[in-house]
Amino acid sequence: MEGEAGGSVSCGSWIRRPENVNWVVLARVMTRPTSSSSSVIEIFSFDPNTTSLSSSPLARHELEESDGDPITIAVHPSGDCFVCSTTNGGCKLFELYGQETHLQLSTKELPPLLDAGPQKCLAFSVDGSRFAAGGVDGRLRILEWPTLRIIVDEVRAHKSFRDMDFSLDSEFLASTSTDGSARIWKTEDGVPLMTLARNSDEKIELCRFSKDGTKPFLFCTVQRVYDISTWNKIGHKRLLGKPASVMSVSLDGKYLALGSKDGDICVVEVKKMEISHWNKRLHLGTSIASLEFCPSQRVVLTTSSQRGGMVTKLNVPADWKEWQIYLLLLGLFLASAVVFYIFFEKSDSFWNFPIVREQTRRNIDSFLGDAQSDDPNVFGPLDM
C-alpha cells in the first residue's frame, strides 16, 4: 500500500491475533492545508494468499492536533493493545475491541509517559511483562506491564536514543545512542550492566538480540556480533554494504533483516550469516523507517515516508507446517510397522531355521491328537 496523497506513513507494525491471523497498524502523518487535518492510526487486515493488505482499514483513529505527529509504535505480544508515541503528546495506549468485521479502538493515557515528550524508541519484552521507552532527550524508562510500576527511570541514559531491544528472556535491554554508544541494562532492577566497547571511529547504531533460543547473541550494525555471556565481539561480516536505517529479527530467530537509507532490504539466515533475500530500491531511494517480520509468515512489513507501508514475501526456503510434521511421523510409524510384519513373517527363512517351525508344528499336532483321544486313561488313572 503506497502512501496516499495528503499523508505519509511514519511507522507501522504487525498485530498478532488468534488462529494465525495477522493485522497491520500504520501511523500516517497528514499534511495540514487546513487546521482541521489530523494524523491518523489505521489498522488493516493481511491476506497471506495474495501477500497484500486490505484496501480499506478495519479501524481508524484520528489523533488530536495537540498530540502532534506519530513517531513510533510498539505492539504488545498479546495483540490486544499497542502504544504510540507522538511529537507533542508523549505516549498513548490503544486497545482493540471486537472482531475484524466490527473492530474498535479506544485510547487511554499512560500516566508515567503522559508528558514525557517525544519518545524515539518503544519496545515490549518478549513475554509482555515489561515496556521500555527511550526519549529523544536520552531518558530511559522501563515499566512493569500492565501495572505501569516504574522499574527504571534513568534521566541521562544516552545523549539521545537511536534503537533498543529486549533479550529473549527479558532479562536484558540493549540500547544505542545517536553518539554511537551502546549500553546493556538489567531490566529487573535497572542497573546498567556495561557499555559496549567500540573503536573511536565506530558508531553503533542499531541492535537486536537473537531469538532462536540457543546461544544468545547481540547483533549490531557496526558489523560486530557480541557474545552476551562476556559482551565481547565474536565476529563480523559485511552484509548490506551501505548505511542501515533499521534492523529486525524474526520471532523464531532464523532470519535477520536490514533496511537501508536508500530503500533496500536484505534478509540474512542467522545460522549461516548468508544473505537469503535481497530487494534493491524497494522503497525507491527513500530511507526505510520501520521493518518487521510477520509473526507467522515469511513476509516483512516495511514503511517509508514516500512509499507508505509495503508487505513483501521473502524468497527463502519454506518452513515445515505442523500437519506436514505429523504426516511424516505417521508415515515413519506405518513404514516401521510394515517392516516389522515382513520381518516377523519371514524370520525363519531369513535365519535359515526351517526345522524349528516344523518341529513346533509336530509338537502341537501331537498334543492336539492326544487331547482328542477316546482312551479314558489317556491322562492316567483317576483318583475318585
Side-chain angles (χ1 to χ4, degrees):
M1 150 174 285
E2 298 186 5
E4 298 175 354
S8 60
V9 175
S10 62
C11 55
S13 183
W14 292 97
I15 300 177
R16 189 175 189 175
R17 302 295 292 172
E19 300 180 358
N20 287 329
V21 173
N22 297 289
W23 296 340
V24 167
V25 55
L26 298 177
R28 192 181 302 279
V29 178
M30 307 300 292
T31 57
R32 290 181 170 85
T34 65
S35 59
S36 60
S37 299
S38 300
S39 296
V40 297
I41 304 294
E42 297 175 321
I43 296 179
F44 297 85
S45 62
F46 170 70
D47 185 353
N49 297 320
T50 60
T51 315
S52 62
L53 302 180
S54 57
S55 57
S56 58
L58 304 176
R60 177 185 174 96
H61 177 85
E62 289 192 7
L63 296 175
E64 296 180 7
E65 190 174 354
S66 59
D67 292 333
D69 297 327
I71 300 175
T72 187
I73 287 175
V75 179
H76 191 270
S78 67
D80 294 330
C81 62
F82 60 88
V83 177
C84 177
S85 67
T86 60
T87 53
N88 299 334
C91 292
K92 287 184 177 295
L93 173 66
F94 291 80
E95 295 180 330
L96 285 71
Y97 293 97
Q99 301 300 320
E100 183 171 332
T101 55
H102 189 65
L103 182 64
Q104 293 182 343
L105 285 174
S106 67
T107 61
K108 289 185 177 180
E109 302 291 348
L110 294 175
L113 298 170
L114 184 59
D115 298 315
Q119 301 298 301
K120 179 64 174 64
C121 303
L122 303 177
F124 280 100
S125 60
V126 177
D127 61 5
S129 64
R130 293 178 176 87
F131 173 75
V136 175
D137 58 359
R139 186 171 182 173
L140 171 66
R141 297 174 176 87
I142 302 178
L143 310 178
E144 186 179 75
W145 197 270
T147 63
L148 302 182
R149 180 180 68 86
I150 298 176
I151 302 175
V152 179
D153 190 355
E154 182 65 35
V155 177
R156 298 180 181 178
H158 285 298
K159 179 180 180 181
S160 182
F161 270 82
R162 175 70 173 85
D163 197 16
M164 67 165 52
D165 190 41
F166 278 97
S167 62
L168 182 62
D169 58 6
S170 305
E171 184 177 354
F172 302 108
L173 177 76
S175 61
T176 63
S177 173
T178 54
D179 62 8
S181 62
R183 303 183 73 179
I184 308 299
W185 308 81
K186 291 193 69 175
T187 60
E188 183 178 355
D189 50 18
V191 174
L193 193 61
M194 70 175 303
T195 299
L196 297 183
R198 61 188 176 101
N199 298 328
S200 58
D201 58 347
E202 285 183 337
K203 290 186 68 175
I204 304 175
E205 294 187 331
L206 305 172
C207 60
R208 283 296 180 273
F209 282 98
S210 60
K211 298 290 194 298
D212 61 356
T214 57
K215 187 174 183 179
F217 299 113
L218 177 65
F219 299 100
C220 298
T221 55
V222 288
Q223 290 80 40
R224 297 292 187 267
V225 182
Y226 290 84
D227 181 351
I228 74 170
S229 61
T230 61
W231 303 107
N232 293 326
K233 300 175 187 176
I234 61 174
H236 67 279
K237 191 165 186 176
R238 188 180 181 87
L239 296 172
L240 193 58
K242 58 181 70 176
S245 60
V246 66
M247 180 164 56
S248 180
V249 175
S250 61
L251 286 183
D252 59 6
K254 292 183 178 180
Y255 293 97
L256 169 75
L258 293 167
S260 73
K261 295 181 179 181
D262 61 358
D264 293 1
I265 66 166
C266 77
V267 178
V268 179
E269 185 179 355
V270 171
K271 188 175 182 179
K272 300 178 180 178
M273 288 306 291
E274 296 178 353
I275 295 177
S276 301
H277 178 95
W278 194 309
N279 270 101
K280 293 187 176 181
R281 298 181 66 82
L282 179 67
H283 283 256
L284 300 177
T286 305
S287 179
I288 295 179
S290 59
L291 167 65
E292 189 175 326
F293 284 89
C294 178
S296 59
Q297 304 282 334
R298 293 304 182 197
V299 175
V300 293
L301 169 70
T302 52
T303 66
S304 67
S305 59
Q306 295 295 323
R307 294 281 288 175
M310 300 178 64
V311 286
T312 305
K313 187 174 182 178
L314 301 179
N315 185 24
V316 296
D319 294 322
W320 281 80
K321 304 296 184 181
E322 187 175 354
W323 67 268
Q324 292 175 319
I325 297 176
Y326 284 124
L327 184 61
L328 176 62
L329 294 175
L330 178 61
L332 291 175
F333 174 77
L334 294 177
S336 301
V338 171
V339 171
F340 176 79
Y341 177 77
I342 295 175
F343 178 80
F344 178 77
E345 286 295 314
K346 304 295 183 180
S347 59
D348 288 346
S349 59
F350 179 81
W351 296 108
N352 199 21
F353 291 155
I355 300 177
V356 175
R357 175 174 289 186
E358 185 64 26
Q359 183 65 37
T360 303
R361 183 170 297 169
R362 289 177 181 176
N363 292 338
I364 294 174
D365 292 344
S366 177
F367 175 78
L368 292 175
D370 292 342
Q372 296 172 359
S373 175
D374 293 333
D375 187 355
N377 295 322
V378 65
F379 295 107
L382 300 178
D383 186 3
M384 302 299 291

